[in-house]
Each structure stands twice: as structure tokens, then as C-alpha cells.
Amino acid sequence: MAEKKEKLTSHGISSLTQDSDEIKEMYCEECERDNGEYATAVAFCVDCVEYKCKTCREYHRRHFKTHKIQDSDSMPQDFYFEKCSTHPQQLIKFYCSECSKLACQDCKDNAHGQCGDVYHLPTVASGIQKSDDFKDLQHDLDELFVDIIDTEKLLEAKSEVVEKQEEKATEICKEHSNKLIKALKQQHQIVIDAFDKKMEMTIARLKKERLELVQVLSEKERKFENKITKAETDIKEEVVSTNREFKELKSEHLNLVGNFKALTADLEQAQKLGKKCVLFIKYKLIKQLCENLHRNIEQIHQANIQHYKIKISETQAKELSLDHETSFFTFENVHASAVERKVVFNFDISGQFDIISSLLVLSEHTLLILDWKKCNLVIYKLEKTQAICMDEIKFDTNPWDITKVSDCKVAITFLNEKMIILLKFSEDMKVLDITKIPGKGRCTGIAYKNNYFAVSYWGTGIVKILSMSGEVVKTFDKDDYGQKLFIDPCYLTVSPDNTMIYVSDCEKYGVICLTFDGKLKAVYKDDHLNLPYQLAVDEYGSVYACGVESDNVHQLSSDLTKVKILIDKSHGLDQPRCVAYCQNTKRLFVGMRNKIRVFNMSL
């Protein structure tokens, strides 16, 4: 075969060209089978499904007068020369649609004798290029290649995190190991130096003792180095084990992509050269590979990198403690909610807002904004770098907070009217239905979970669980010791697993976490979080609390441990009142009095 040249097309599939290619002619199957001789085929018997040379054709016409014979001008020209693996003397001529297998004449007569859809291979392959299924495959290949490019970028980003963690863990272990070994040697040198002073008085007697002591200490050093080296090795193995699943997923992806590129190249070559039988077989192979590759890409996108840290022991650098020390390093998993996030400013949403009181990401394409002063709900369509106002819904009174009930339904609290309303939207975000629910008081914050609402109440120190009809199911106001849980609960949200309620208390300047049974789990207070308002959580359980008077947004772990101040004045914040998160686009929306800043987030 001529040398092949490969280049990347605009669709990502390899385009193959070749300077020349061997043109094969069909031979007489009867001569090859019976005499082991090669003779050029000039005819084809439709009934026997066999190619014949000139001599065999004349013999065949004489003895099988009813058989239909096609001459060289009309006989099938799409030759497939592969032999059957079961019957090596037979050419593969048929394809069984019921079994999805290739077959020779013997296979057709025996193994597929009961099958109804056994077709001559050139016949079934003749229309493959124009079939809808093949066109769909080509379309899927184009889309899949785009997914591959995006996945390669994702792999590169995640691999960088993995490699940095491994490098940092190795550095910590090595540094601590060297420090301890050095400290031990220093202690031993002190002992040796002290012995040298005594040796001056009794040189002859002490020389032997000094040698023995050095040997003993050297052995201790050796054992200690072995022990700490083993500890270092163990922690490295745990690090590697933690990352193994991701690396195996990456390796599988690279293998699949390699096979994918090779098969798509073969497929395009067969299509270009008009080898329909080869094209048919490659098409069958690549369909299965595409399924595996789609599944692998989905697994990569769903894969979460396990975060961890290495803690070193507080071992005293003394011989006695080092001699008996058994644990030098500790491997600790870090919950994803405690991993620091990074933010990058994306764009601003500016409109005719007076006082924004709440934000809700209804979908990755839709943002809902409550304007307290204007008494309205503003619907925005989200794009990559901008937002477009779609509609405004006016109310008779001031709305406070909003929560998602379903993809087409939201609930809004009205403090002054002591009620909650349910809005149901159409696909184009037109209001289809409005349902009023008694709020059981001056309700402010609201969150939805499994047909129940968690609601906070203005100036009461109370959070209630309400049914969808407004009936009070539970009331939370005191902890297990009879102390008040809240002073003025303002906003609340629910953890991703629907087990925890997070409440911002604008009087306590803190965030409170409790279960749906009212059990207090954690409290967060910080000198740099003043007047906390709306809260948001991401898919990992991280909690985001905006401080109106501290001009910042705090990132907290799921147990309300401070991770970092994520956004502050340096990011352009001025009295942030609201915060919302979109899981699909990894965006954080921070609402100020009359403007919203949109940030892209990453681990």
C-alpha cells in the first residue's frame, strides 16, 4: 500500500490521502477451491453466489441452465477477499442481520440456516453511505470529537491539581524526614562529644567503649531511618492510592481516544476509496467504541478529585521520643466543601433596580431577581457574558425571598402581607398560575425541601417548617439547653443532601446550622462577617454567606468552618445583600443594592 498522510480536518476526523492503491480483481472461486489455481473471474452466478472464470462459466451454463449468470459488465464489483475464520477455504460473502455476524456459504447453510435475514454482503453494504444510521454516526463523530477536545482540557486541569497535591505531599514528608533525622544526629553528636571529654582521662579504656557506643547509636540511626522511610513510603502509597481511580479513568480515556482516532481514520479511508464492505465493518466497530467513549467522558465529568492533606506529628526531637515514635505522618481526607474556591469576574448585570432583596438561579439560562422597593420579580435570560431582561412581574406589596420548588415553579415570601405565593411558569417563563399560602407570620427567608418549606420570621427568633398548604409542621426556636437559637433569622438555605438547614441571623451576625429535627449542629461567627443576609450552597456542600456591612462573601465548609473570604471590596463589592449559585455553569451571582456581579468559580 502507498504511504498514508494524515492531517486534522475542521471536524476533528483524520483525512487520509494516498498516492496510489492496489486494484484487485476477483478470481474464480471454483478453480481456487477445487484445483488451488488462480483464474480471473468473468462472470457471477446469482443462484450459487460464486464468481466463475470463462471455462467454469461455460461448464456451469451447460449443467445449470436455470441459474442466472451475470457477465463481467454486470457482476458485483465490490470484492471482499477476507476468508472465514471457521472455514478458511471459504470467502466471506454474507451478513446475517438477525445475528449481526458475517458468514461464508457454509456458515449461511449451517449456522444461519434458520435465520431469515441473511443478505449478500455487497448488496447489504451498497447503501451504507446513504443510510440515515450512517449519517447519524458521522454527526455523532463530529459532536464526540468536540467532547474529546473539551474533555482533554478538563483532564489537563484536573491532572494539574492531582500533580500539585502529590508534589506538595512529597515535599512535606521529605522536609520533615530530613528535619527529624538531622535532629537525631545532632543529639547523638552531643552524646559523642561528651564522651570524648571523658576519654581524655582514660584514653585506653574509653576508646573501646566509644567505638561500641558509636556502633550502637549508628544502629539506632539506621533503624530510625528505616522506620521513618517506611512511614514516608506508606503515606506516599496512600497518596497514590487516593489518586489511582482518577488516573485509571484518564488512562482508559487516552486508550479509547487513540482507538477512536485510528478507527475514524480507517472509516474515512474506506469511505473515500469506496470499499463498502470494509466501511460496513468499520462502521459496526466504531459504533460500539463511541458508546464506550461517551460513557468514559461522562465518568470523567462526574469524577471528583479526592482532596487531602498531610499532617506531621508533633514529635520532640529527642532520642527517647524518636526511638519510640511510630507515627510521623497522618493522611487526612479533606471534604470537598472545605477546599478553597477561586473566583474570576465575568460580567455585571445592571438594570433599573432599587433594592435587590433575593436572587434565584432557576436554570443555567434563567435568573430571577426580587426588587423589594419596586415590588416586582425580574426575569433575566443568561448568556455566556451577559444577561438580557425578559420580563417583569409586578406585585401589590414588597417581596422578600424566593426559592425553587421545581423547574417551572417558585415560592416567594411577602413580609408585610404574611403570606407565601407559588408562581407556576410556562416554558417561555409566562405566569400560568398563582397560588396563595398563609405565611403564619411576617415571613422572610424561605427554602424548599421534599414538599415542605423552611421559613424564617422577622424579629421573632423563630424558624418554622410548613406544609405546601401552609400548615405548621415544626417550630424551631430553642436548642437542647433551652437557649434561643436565633434573634432575628433573616435568610436560609438547605444543604445539597437535604439534611441541614443553614440560617443567617442578621442580629447575631452569624450563620447557624441545624437538622430538620431542629438539632443545633454548628454556629459560625467571625469579626469579618457583619450583617449576614442571603446564603447559597454548591453541589459540594460549601456555604456562601454575604456580609452587607463587611462588604464580602465568606466561603464556609458544610460544618460551618471558615475556609476563606472568597470575595471582598477588591472584587468591587459594595454592601452585598444576595448570593446565588449555578451548579451547571459554576457561576456565583452576588447582588448588591442595584447591581449584580457574576463570577466564574473553580476549585
Side-chain angles (χ1 to χ4, degrees):
M1 299 294 286
E3 179 183 1
K4 298 179 181 178
K5 301 175 183 178
E6 179 177 356
K7 63 180 181 178
L8 197 65
T9 68
S10 60
H11 298 291
I13 301 177
S14 296
S15 175
L16 296 177
T17 65
Q18 64 181 32
D19 301 328
S20 64
D21 195 29
E22 179 184 353
I23 301 176
K24 296 182 179 180
E25 62 180 5
M26 192 58 196
Y27 55 86
C28 176
E29 294 178 66
E30 190 171 352
C31 290
E32 193 270 350
R33 182 178 60 250
D34 296 340
N35 304 321
E37 297 177 353
Y38 179 87
T40 301
V42 298
F44 178 79
C45 177
V46 176
D47 297 276
C48 298
V49 195
E50 277 193 349
Y51 288 92
K52 306 290 183 181
C53 65
K54 184 176 181 181
T55 302
C56 293
R57 178 188 63 184
E58 300 306 320
Y59 177 87
H60 205 73
R61 278 177 171 167
R62 228 172 18 249
H63 292 277
F64 300 94
K65 295 180 180 181
T66 60
H67 283 203
K68 181 179 180 181
I69 304 295
Q70 295 176 336
D71 291 324
S72 57
D73 292 337
S74 58
M75 71 182 186
Q77 298 297 317
D78 191 12
F79 310 130
Y80 189 70
F81 293 93
E82 295 295 325
K83 295 295 184 72
C84 177
S85 59
T86 305
H87 308 95
Q89 299 303 318
Q90 293 276 0
L91 284 175
I92 293 175
K93 300 180 182 179
F94 303 96
Y95 178 76
C96 178
S97 295
E98 290 185 13
C99 304
S100 296
K101 290 184 178 180
L102 299 170
C104 66
Q105 183 67 53
D106 288 350
C107 291
K108 175 179 180 295
D109 295 339
N110 300 315
H112 302 279
Q114 301 301 318
C115 298
D117 297 320
V118 183
Y119 300 102
H120 188 212
L121 184 57
T123 301
V124 73
S126 62
I128 183 63
Q129 287 179 277
K130 295 183 179 180
S131 69
D132 291 340
D133 199 11
F134 183 76
K135 292 177 182 177
D136 290 342
L137 175 63
Q138 289 181 310
H139 177 70
D140 289 343
L141 294 179
D142 290 342
E143 292 185 342
L144 183 57
F145 197 89
V146 174
D147 288 344
I148 289 172
I149 293 175
D150 293 340
T151 304
E152 287 174 348
K153 294 178 181 178
L154 179 62
L155 275 173
E156 182 178 350
K158 290 190 175 183
S159 296
E160 183 179 350
V161 175
V162 170
E163 290 170 2
K164 284 184 178 180
Q165 286 197 108
E166 288 186 0
E167 182 180 344
K168 186 174 181 180
T170 301
E171 182 181 342
I172 290 172
C173 294
K174 192 64 181 176
E175 182 180 349
H176 189 54
S177 298
N178 292 339
K179 181 180 178 181
L180 293 179
I181 292 172
K182 182 179 178 181
L184 182 67
K185 289 184 177 182
Q186 288 174 343
Q187 293 293 327
H188 286 177
Q189 189 61 46
I190 292 173
V191 175
I192 293 171
D193 291 341
F195 186 82
D196 284 341
K197 291 180 180 179
K198 294 181 181 181
M199 191 176 63
E200 292 177 3
M201 299 173 61
T202 52
I203 295 296
R205 178 173 59 85
L206 293 180
K207 274 188 176 180
K208 183 180 179 181
E209 292 183 17
R210 181 186 182 280
L211 179 60
E212 292 174 350
L213 180 60
V214 170
Q215 291 174 342
V216 169
L217 294 177
S218 296
E219 179 62 18
K220 286 186 177 182
E221 288 178 14
R222 185 189 65 78
K223 290 181 178 179
F224 180 79
E225 289 184 14
N226 290 341
K227 184 165 58 174
I228 198 168
T229 299
K230 184 180 183 304
E232 188 178 345
T233 301
D234 291 344
I235 207 74
K236 286 180 181 178
E237 288 178 354
E238 191 157 6
V239 167
V240 172
S241 175
T242 300
N243 300 323
R244 182 174 292 117
E245 185 175 344
F246 173 76
K247 289 185 175 181
E248 289 175 352
L249 195 60
K250 176 183 177 181
S251 177
E252 180 188 358
H253 179 77
L254 295 177
N255 289 335
L256 287 172
V257 169
N259 293 337
F260 172 79
K261 290 180 178 179
L263 276 176
T264 51
D266 292 345
L267 186 75
E268 191 165 297
Q269 182 193 28
Q271 185 179 1
K272 182 178 294 184
L273 299 176
K275 294 184 176 181
K276 297 177 183 178
C277 293
V278 176
L279 182 66
F280 179 81
I281 293 172
K282 297 298 182 182
Y283 147 74
K284 288 293 183 180
L285 292 174
I286 203 171
K287 280 196 69 174
Q288 180 61 47
L289 179 61
C290 288
E291 293 177 7
N292 296 338
L293 193 50
H294 275 302
R295 183 173 60 254
N296 174 263
I297 290 175
E298 183 179 354
Q299 289 172 341
I300 289 175
H301 281 274
Q302 293 176 352
N304 292 322
I305 296 175
Q306 176 61 55
H307 298 271
Y308 55 86
K309 62 181 178 181
I310 305 299
K311 295 187 67 176
I312 59 177
S313 62
E314 300 296 329
T315 306
Q316 295 295 321
K318 295 181 180 179
E319 180 182 357
L320 183 61
S321 59
L322 290 175
D323 228 14
H324 294 85
E325 183 66 46
T326 57
S327 177
F328 302 99
F329 313 104
T330 305
F331 179 95
E332 289 188 0
N333 286 318
V334 177
H335 192 273
S337 66
V339 178
E340 291 188 3
R341 304 298 191 267
K342 294 180 181 178
V343 294
V344 177
F345 171 72
N346 192 349
F347 63 92
D348 281 331
I349 302 175
S350 299
Q352 300 301 316
F353 306 120
D354 278 349
I355 299 179
I356 299 173
S357 64
S358 184
L359 300 176
L360 173 65
V361 178
L362 188 62
S363 71
E364 64 179 287
H365 302 298
T366 308
L367 176 68
L368 303 183
I369 305 167
L370 286 184
D371 192 318
W372 163 267
K373 192 171 182 180
K374 284 192 170 182
C375 302
N376 65 6
L377 170 66
V378 188
I379 303 171
Y380 268 83
K381 178 182 179 181
L382 297 174
E383 297 182 351
K384 287 187 176 181
T385 57
Q386 63 178 344
I388 301 172
C389 184
M390 295 170 59
D391 199 4
E392 293 185 15
I393 301 171
K394 292 290 293 183
F395 302 116
D396 296 330
T397 185
N398 311 93
W400 182 276
D401 195 13
I402 185 170
T403 188
K404 179 177 178 179
V405 177
S406 68
D407 290 340
C408 61
K409 186 180 291 186
V410 299
I412 303 174
T413 57
F414 293 86
L415 181 148
N416 294 328
E417 295 298 322
K418 300 181 181 181
M419 71 173 180
I420 301 168
I421 69 166
L422 291 177
L423 291 182
K424 184 177 181 181
F425 297 100
S426 62
E427 289 186 2
D428 58 354
M429 294 305 294
K430 300 300 181 184
V431 177
L432 297 178
D433 183 57
I434 300 176
T435 304
K436 293 184 179 181
I437 301 173
K440 304 299 182 182
R442 302 188 70 192
C443 44
T444 52
I446 186 169
Y448 174 80
K449 173 221 169 184
N450 297 339
N451 293 322
Y452 291 97
F453 294 113
V455 183
S456 58
Y457 292 85
W458 179 270
T460 62
I462 292 175
V463 170
K464 296 179 182 179
I465 305 297
L466 305 182
S467 68
M468 293 292 287
S469 61
E471 296 178 1
V472 178
V473 178
K474 294 177 183 176
T475 299
F476 305 140
D477 59 350
K478 295 181 180 179
D479 60 20
D480 293 341
Y481 301 99
Q483 301 297 315
K484 293 191 70 173
L485 284 169
F486 322 103
I487 296 178
D488 192 0
C490 195
Y491 288 88
L492 41 78
T493 189
V494 178
S495 63
D497 59 2
N498 292 328
T499 61
M500 299 295 170
I501 305 173
Y502 298 101
V503 184
S504 64
D505 194 315
C506 60
E507 189 70 26
K508 278 188 174 183
Y509 281 14
V511 181
I512 297 95
C513 173
L514 63 154
T515 67
F516 272 85
D517 293 327
K519 183 176 180 60
L520 179 65
K521 299 297 290 184
V523 177
Y524 175 73
K525 294 191 71 175
D526 188 88
D527 293 339
H528 299 98
L529 180 65
N530 298 330
L531 195 59
Y533 261 41
Q534 192 173 16
L535 306 170
V537 295
D538 64 20
E539 66 270 29
Y540 302 104
S542 291
V543 181
Y544 304 96
C546 58
V548 180
E549 294 181 353
S550 52
D551 296 323
N552 53 27
V553 174
H554 289 229
Q555 180 195 343
L556 314 176
S557 65
S558 58
D559 60 358
L560 294 190
T561 301
K562 182 177 182 179
V563 179
K564 65 185 295 189
I565 294 178
L566 184 66
I567 313 173
D568 57 19
K569 284 186 176 181
S570 67
H571 298 85
L573 293 197
D574 181 19
Q575 297 187 359
R577 307 166 64 87
C578 312
V579 63
Y581 174 75
C582 180
Q583 177 177 338
N584 290 343
T585 61
K586 302 295 186 293
R587 287 176 177 172
L588 193 69
F589 299 80
V590 182
M592 294 171 276
R593 184 182 182 90
N594 54 15
K595 182 173 71 173
I596 299 166
R597 300 219 91 176
V598 184
F599 297 89
N600 291 333
M601 288 184 48
S602 61
L603 289 176

